[in-house]
Amino acid sequence: MIDFRSDTVTKPTQAMREAMMTAEVGDDVYSEDPTVNRLEIMAAKIVDKEAALFVPSGSMGNQLAIMTHCERGVEAICDTLAHVFHYEMAAAGLLSGVQLHPMDNLHNDVGIHNLSDHIREPLGYLPKTRLVCLENSLNRAGGTVMQTEQMAVVFRLAREYGLKVHLDGARIFNAALALQCDVSDLTCYTDSVMFCLSKGLGAPVGSILAGSKEFIAQARRNRKLLGGGMRQIGILAAAGIVALEDTSHLAEDHEKAQYLAKGMSVLPGLHVELEKVQTNMVMVEITKMPVQKFTQLLFEQGVAVSG
Ligand SMILES: Cc1ncc(COP(=O)(O)O)c(C=O)c1O
């Protein structure tokens, strides 16, 4: 079976499994797991933040960021395509009492300058805007990337209005590769960043939330509140360290995505917007048959895709 459904279906490498087997561990709720501590220091350095926190999933990392940056009853602006808006089970409202305020094209030149129109005026009957959530690369837009200059525009505007900026960087390493820059060239325009060690980086579990020391100290408390305080998780952090030590295979993923997209773009009944294939995703419009039929036919040929 060739599994193209998602980059979440990756499996840990032999090196990861060996590192997991021999990892030194301790109780991470006491911050005494040396492997977790090593991973957190390493991750903070990569994204050029003061501190980092190992969390079970990307969703928890994003939700901790929202909970930690915001008090109840405020708003966080995000793109209409954002993962936090579509795929996190309305958690911002449910867990943090935060209303998401989606806007179109927050990630590109078409809409970025409209951001200030979505920041609430300080009127007695309006919610306060507290946070902007960016996503780079933007999953639902086909893994397209937000340029460093665009991130800088958002960051400057956010600062002007006293807002914080959180980056859902689940695939920030893919974005940096596509932009030929360092991850820290993107994260410098944020107050906090979440990135996934699973997905393209290949670790079996875990994400990182990074930010200032003070922010991470509070996020650590909130992680415990949500039941995410974990004990001897050095065995998981060990795989994360291996994942961060060598990210060179991501380039191969991007090349394969290009190859697949170009091949599919010339087939009848399929439409691929090649300029949107920028990282490790290929989105294809099926024009001649129902999507379910297409995915079923592929499945019968040993190819799994997400419809
Ligand atoms: C952009 C983005 N953010 C966050 C997440 C959440 O990650 P997790 O599945 O680890 O909760 C995903 C997962 O696919 C994602 O694509």
Side-chain angles (χ1 to χ4, degrees), residues 121-154:
E121 287 177 59
L123 295 175
Y125 50 88
L126 295 178
K128 287 180 181 161
T129 308
R130 183 68 74 235
L131 180 67
V132 181
C133 292
L134 298 176
E135 185 180 317
N136 202 4
S137 62
L138 185 56
N139 180 345
R140 218 174 137 96
T144 49
V145 296
M146 188 176 190
Q147 309 286 327
T148 41
E149 301 75 34
Q150 293 165 337
M151 291 195 63
V153 168
V154 170

Side-chain angles (χ1 to χ4, degrees), residues 8 56-60 62 83 88 135 137 139 168 170-171 194 196 198-199 207:
T8 58
S57 68
S59 303
M60 189 188 273
N62 282 338
H83 192 278
E88 297 188 16
E135 185 180 317
S137 62
N139 180 345
D168 175 345
R171 299 179 181 81
M194 180 284 291
C196 293
S198 54
K199 308 201 167 59
S207 295

Side-chain angles (χ1 to χ4, degrees), residues 39 45 49 68 88 123-124 130 146 170 178 181 201 216 218 243-244 275:
L39 170 65
K45 205 164 164 202
K49 298 287 179 206
T68 308
E88 297 188 16
L123 295 175
R130 183 68 74 235
M146 188 176 190
C181 68
L201 293 187
I216 289 300
Q218 186 56 41
L244 288 179
E275 69 283 359

Side-chain angles (χ1 to χ4, degrees), residues 8 49 56 64 88 109 144 160 287 295:
T8 58
K49 298 287 179 206
L64 281 179
E88 297 188 16
D109 290 333
T144 49
E160 204 179 300
T287 56
T295 57

Side-chain angles (χ1 to χ4, degrees), residues 248-259:
S248 58
H249 58 280
L250 294 183
E252 197 184 320
D253 294 348
H254 289 198
E255 278 164 29
K256 284 180 176 163
Q258 284 293 328
Y259 182 77

Side-chain angles (χ1 to χ4, degrees), residues 85-269:
F85 183 53
H86 287 278
Y87 304 121
E88 297 188 16
M89 325 234 341
L94 192 70
L95 302 174
S96 301
V98 170
Q99 174 163 278
L100 292 180
H101 180 154
M103 63 169 276
D104 290 335
N105 295 307
L106 172 60
H107 290 79
N108 58 50
D109 290 333
V110 176
I112 200 168
H113 296 286
N114 298 334
L115 172 58
S116 48
D117 297 342
H118 295 262
I119 298 170
R120 303 286 191 173
E121 287 177 59
L123 295 175
Y125 50 88
L126 295 178
K128 287 180 181 161
T129 308
R130 183 68 74 235
L131 180 67
V132 181
C133 292
L134 298 176
E135 185 180 317
N136 202 4
S137 62
L138 185 56
N139 180 345
R140 218 174 137 96
T144 49
V145 296
M146 188 176 190
Q147 309 286 327
T148 41
E149 301 75 34
Q150 293 165 337
M151 291 195 63
V153 168
V154 170
F155 192 60
R156 271 199 297 274
L157 209 62
R159 278 288 176 272
E160 204 179 300
Y161 285 87
L163 313 181
K164 300 285 184 192
V165 176
H166 170 67
L167 173 64
D168 175 345
R171 299 179 181 81
I172 191 71
F173 287 84
N174 296 91
L177 173 64
L179 292 165
Q180 294 287 303
C181 68
D182 288 336
V183 164
S184 60
D185 295 332
L186 299 168
T187 55
C188 65
Y189 299 117
T190 67
D191 294 287
S192 60
V193 54
M194 180 284 291
F195 71 82
C196 293
L197 296 159
S198 54
K199 308 201 167 59
L201 293 187
V205 189
S207 295
I208 294 289
L209 178 65
S212 70
K213 265 195 191 132
E214 198 188 359
F215 170 83
I216 289 300
Q218 186 56 41
R220 190 179 290 278
R221 288 181 60 79
N222 289 339
R223 183 185 67 171
K224 190 77 177 79
L225 176 73
L226 296 182
M230 300 171 285
R231 303 292 175 177
Q232 286 73 19
I233 48 166
I235 50 168
L236 299 178
I241 291 172
V242 175
L244 288 179
E245 275 168 350
D246 181 11
T247 60
S248 58
H249 58 280
L250 294 183
E252 197 184 320
D253 294 348
H254 289 198
E255 278 164 29
K256 284 180 176 163
Q258 284 293 328
Y259 182 77
L260 182 66
K262 283 180 189 146
M264 291 183 91
S265 69
V266 296
L267 297 177

